[in-house]
Amino acid sequence: MKLENLEARFQEKIDQDIKIEPKDWMPEKYRKTHIRQISQHAHSEIVGMLPEGNWISRAPSLRRKVALLAKVQDEAGHGLYLYSACETLGITRDELTDQLRTGKAKYSSIFNYPTLTWADIGAIGWLVDGAAIINQVPLQNTSYGPYARAMVRVCKEESFHQRQGFEIMTTLARGTEAQKEMAQDALNRWWWPSLMMFGPADKDSTHTAQSMKWKLKRKTNDELRQQFVDQTVPQAELIGLTIPDTDLVWNVVNNEYDFGEINWEEFWQVVKGHGPCNKERIAARVKAHTEGAWVREGAMAYAEKKKSSSRKIAS
Ligand code: FAQ
């Protein structure tokens, strides 16, 4: 079949909401765009373990420690599903993680900010997982089957994470004056970086138009960001915290919040590797990879041994 016909048939399947599976024909650009987005997503989950991992040994109670430990482990699991989904597109796990360690691959800008106080753990769960859910719920309907299916479980777990973060913030906001100040300070520092998670404004987005056509993205960056603001502002009001945006106002005509201008200069600086923690994050991944070499070798040797003993039994 001619390439144009293959492409037309492929787009028809997408238009009819038929999932694309790994062995189906797909345009090379579709494959590459998916590798880019799914791997960036996977790297974000893995690097995202670092800011929160920083507080596991300092959680204020056993209950908080257990919940945080479970959350960080969930993020590792999300990374693994996503790497597996990405591998179905013909790239190896080693190639993917190598791109992260060498700085060739991006990961979410949000994880280049430091976690300075315990309230930051509440803010991450509430805002960062909250933003991640808004972005990922539509991805459950994305056109590529393995990515869509991975998102179903990820979203269920992120909902739990968002709840635990909001509960931490609620407790602090209703606590002593010092605790309330700590919660407000965390909200002040994490609010704008959370809005940046959704990516550049639609007018400056490189990939949105094509990704919407392929149904890789089901909503644009600005649509998702607006949804996040509209959902989160009442939550802040409920627990008596103030969103750090003097331009925030309810727009009665559009039935949504108008909000202030994002500092795009800061966003691009962080994306380009000049955020507060970019170097530290990559160094931590390189260290884990180097120091984990013996674990990988041991696992490979065990797998080889198991394979050869099952071959012996079969013969
Ligand atoms: N950070 O043309 P667009 C989580 C890049 S998971 C860094 O609009 P696109 C769970 C973009 O890659 C969080 N770079 O791009 C958790 C592109 O560069 P490229 C991650 C960004 O792909 C919670 C360029 O800018 N979620 O939080 C960012 O259409 C708590 C132009 O941008 C996902 O990855 C950014 N924020 O839209 C874990 C969800 N934004 O590749 C632990 C899936 C944009 O040409 C603790 N991904 N860039 O060199 C997506 O939905 C999309 O990829 C967007 C970006 C919306 C992130």
Side-chain angles (χ1 to χ4, degrees), residues 14-127:
I14 300 222
D15 295 343
Q16 289 166 17
D17 281 327
I18 299 172
K19 292 270 177 272
I20 307 301
E21 296 298 340
K23 289 187 177 161
D24 294 346
W25 184 88
M26 61 185 82
E28 188 53 17
K29 266 186 150 179
Y30 178 92
R31 195 180 71 83
K32 288 216 169 108
T33 298
H34 276 73
I35 291 179
R36 182 188 63 79
Q37 179 167 320
I38 301 172
S39 65
Q40 285 178 4
H41 194 166
H43 300 325
S44 304
E45 301 282 356
I46 298 299
V47 177
M49 296 164 73
L50 297 169
E52 289 178 294
N54 180 33
W55 278 89
I56 290 173
S57 60
R58 292 178 287 162
S61 68
L62 180 61
R63 178 173 170 261
R64 293 293 189 205
K65 192 197 281 269
V66 169
L68 182 58
L69 202 56
K71 177 184 191 302
V72 173
Q73 283 179 335
D74 285 351
E75 308 301 358
H78 300 172
L80 298 183
Y81 315 143
L82 287 162
Y83 282 131
S84 298
C86 202
E87 282 178 293
T88 64
L89 290 157
I91 185 161
T92 66
R93 180 90 53 109
D94 277 348
E95 286 172 289
L96 292 169
T97 56
D98 187 63
Q99 288 173 0
L100 172 65
R101 288 188 302 277
T102 54
K104 273 189 219 138
K106 292 191 169 74
Y107 58 88
S108 183
S109 50
I110 191 77
F111 301 117
N112 292 306
Y113 291 85
T115 39
L116 304 179
T117 71
W118 171 250
D120 289 20
I121 300 305
I124 291 182
W126 175 34
L127 303 174

Side-chain angles (χ1 to χ4, degrees), residues 73-201:
Q73 283 179 335
D74 285 351
E75 308 301 358
H78 300 172
L80 298 183
Y81 315 143
L82 287 162
Y83 282 131
S84 298
C86 202
E87 282 178 293
T88 64
L89 290 157
I91 185 161
T92 66
R93 180 90 53 109
D94 277 348
E95 286 172 289
L96 292 169
T97 56
D98 187 63
Q99 288 173 0
L100 172 65
R101 288 188 302 277
T102 54
K104 273 189 219 138
K106 292 191 169 74
Y107 58 88
S108 183
S109 50
I110 191 77
F111 301 117
N112 292 306
Y113 291 85
T115 39
L116 304 179
T117 71
W118 171 250
D120 289 20
I121 300 305
I124 291 182
W126 175 34
L127 303 174
V128 177
D129 284 273
I133 297 169
I134 286 183
N135 173 281
Q136 287 166 185
V137 164
L139 288 176
Q140 294 178 111
N141 285 321
T142 190
S143 62
Y144 188 56
Y147 192 24
R149 290 189 285 274
M151 280 303 105
V152 174
R153 177 157 174 186
V154 169
C155 283
K156 284 189 182 146
E157 292 177 351
E158 300 290 27
S159 302
F160 160 75
H161 299 165
Q162 197 269 352
R163 285 296 179 99
Q164 71 89 38
F166 190 61
E167 199 227 338
I168 292 174
M169 289 304 260
T170 307
T171 306
L172 291 174
R174 293 184 179 156
T176 63
E177 221 21 69
Q179 285 173 317
K180 186 168 178 181
E181 265 171 37
M182 199 194 278
Q184 182 62 54
D185 171 61
L187 172 58
N188 293 348
R189 284 181 290 106
W190 288 90
W191 176 253
W192 292 102
S194 298
L195 295 193
M196 293 175 196
M197 279 178 77
F198 297 97

